[in-house]
Amino acid sequence: MTEVFDVITIGRVGVDLYPEQSGVSLAEVESFHKSLGGSPVNVAVAAARLGGEGLKVAAITKVGDDGFGPYVRAAMERFGVDTRWVGTDPVLRTPVVFCEIHPPDSFPLLFYREPKAPDMNIALEELELDAIRAARLFWTTGTGLSDEPSRTATIGALEARGGKSITVHDLDHRPMFWRDEDEAGELARAALAHATVAVGNQDEVAVAVGTRDPWEASEALLELGVELAVVKRGPEGVLARTRDQSIEVEPIRLEVVNGLGAGDAFGGALAHGLLVGDDLELVIRRANAAGALVASRLACADDMPFLPELEELAQGATR
């Protein structure tokens, strides 16, 4: 029988190198902190941490045959994420990502994913589609659509799900990964046709539906067939909509240290909350709190919140 996972994510992975000196350029940085990275893997880590040992979480990705490959696997396992579907490309190298830290809102990224990242070589024939169908929640990302064979694998996995709830497509748009923005929009809509939940910030939803306006964009996402549309509005908070309900959540204002992990923390908390079956407004409030907490910390995967601190911050924000 197929082993049933609560969460399976698919997509990119890498090693994040965060500068330990804030407010300076890479040319002036003296030391870095190494951390597990890659949005769908970080989402898996966040969900696993919130769910504890009771949540079975796995990530489908691929690393290089180099020293960073074992580091990625060990880090994932330490965070409670199953690594059975972490493949190894015999030629390509595990990606490395550098960033600069200029709080509160500037965190430039420098990706080393050339000539190609191993996670873009995930192939449809490598996937255990029965496990993907059986998972209680399946999470895909927009960057997984940016090149082949990952594009075919991502769409194929979504088609195999058959619109089963809960199927999340994180729009996760990185312009540097795309040669054609129009193609990015077309593929985003193709993925959303098989999803039940859409998540993205205002720039990302604009790629998919042509508008940054949260209300117009969320309406357009619902018209594409998803059951829940979540638009992250940065300093303006979050808008979440179903066909019957609209939820607006105000931002939680903590001192920003590094905003790069906020979206992944939000995603992990969203996944956890949807699985638990909590009231939707509570789910969005906790996800909002998770994003704020990680933005107030240096790292991403290493600094994902635990459920008690998330509940405390979310409750405090409603008083």
Side-chain angles (χ1 to χ4, degrees):
M1 293 181 64
T2 300
E3 186 174 358
V4 177
F5 281 83
D6 296 296
V7 177
I8 298 178
T9 69
I10 182 172
R12 77 178 188 272
V13 73
V15 177
D16 290 342
L17 294 172
Y18 292 128
E20 295 181 320
Q21 294 76 45
S22 180
V24 298
S25 70
L26 285 176
E28 300 169 285
V29 173
E30 297 179 355
S31 57
F32 295 87
H33 173 81
K34 181 176 68 175
S35 181
L36 180 67
S39 180
V41 171
N42 286 336
V43 168
V45 168
R49 179 163 286 185
L50 291 171
E53 295 182 359
L55 207 66
K56 292 185 63 175
V57 180
I60 303 168
T61 189
K62 192 172 281 191
V63 295
D65 187 13
D66 52 48
F68 282 130
Y71 165 75
V72 165
R73 286 188 175 88
M76 290 172 65
E77 290 169 357
R78 187 173 73 251
F79 292 130
V81 178
D82 193 294
T83 60
R84 70 184 66 190
W85 296 309
V86 179
T88 301
D89 190 288
V91 177
L92 300 171
R93 294 181 178 179
T94 306
V96 175
V97 184
F98 292 90
C99 80
E100 294 180 8
I101 298 178
H102 302 279
D105 57 7
S106 180
F107 307 97
L109 288 170
L110 180 61
F111 287 93
Y112 281 75
R113 291 174 59 89
E114 300 296 337
K116 191 178 188 180
D119 53 69
M120 298 311 300
N121 270 349
I122 299 171
L124 180 59
E125 57 268 24
E126 297 173 328
L127 302 182
E128 291 192 26
L129 294 178
D130 286 343
I132 289 171
R133 292 186 190 99
R136 295 179 60 209
L137 184 148
F138 183 55
W139 186 285
T140 63
T141 69
T143 54
L145 303 171
S146 62
D147 202 354
E148 293 287 8
S150 173
R151 175 181 303 162
T152 295
T154 301
I155 295 294
L158 286 166
E159 289 175 344
R161 287 282 287 182
K164 177 184 176 181
S165 188
I166 306 161
T167 303
V168 185
H169 185 64
D170 180 358
L171 292 163
D172 179 42
H173 182 69
R174 301 284 182 177
M176 69 284 291
F177 295 167
W178 291 87
R179 292 179 288 274
D180 186 335
E181 191 106 331
D182 290 337
E183 181 182 45
E186 291 173 7
L187 288 164
R189 292 187 291 276
L192 290 167
H194 304 286
T196 62
V197 180
V199 183
N201 62 34
Q202 287 176 262
D203 291 332
E204 291 167 337
V205 297
V207 172
V209 297
T211 177
R212 295 184 79 257
D213 180 86
W215 288 93
E216 293 178 1
S218 57
E219 181 66 27
L221 290 168
L222 292 173
E223 289 175 356
L224 288 173
V226 301
E227 299 169 7
L228 171 63
V230 181
V231 182
K232 296 176 286 187
R233 304 165 63 192
E236 302 301 318
V238 182
L239 172 65
R241 293 182 67 188
T242 68
R243 290 170 181 79
D244 304 315
Q245 188 178 12
S246 298
I247 298 166
E248 289 186 273
V249 174
E250 294 297 314
I252 296 175
R253 304 195 184 280
L254 301 178
E255 183 178 357
V256 174
V257 174
N258 183 0
L260 291 174
D264 301 338
F266 183 102
L270 176 67
H272 174 263
L274 292 175
L275 283 172
V276 172
D278 286 327
D279 173 78
L280 183 57
E281 182 171 350
L282 177 60
V283 170
I284 300 301
R285 289 193 178 279
R286 284 180 178 168
N288 192 45
L293 274 172
V294 172
S296 72
R297 299 166 177 176
L298 176 62
C300 184
D302 300 78
D303 284 336
M304 291 297 177
F306 292 93
L307 189 56
E309 59 184 343
L310 200 59
E311 291 175 335
E312 181 181 356
L313 183 59
Q315 289 172 2
T318 62
R319 294 183 187 129

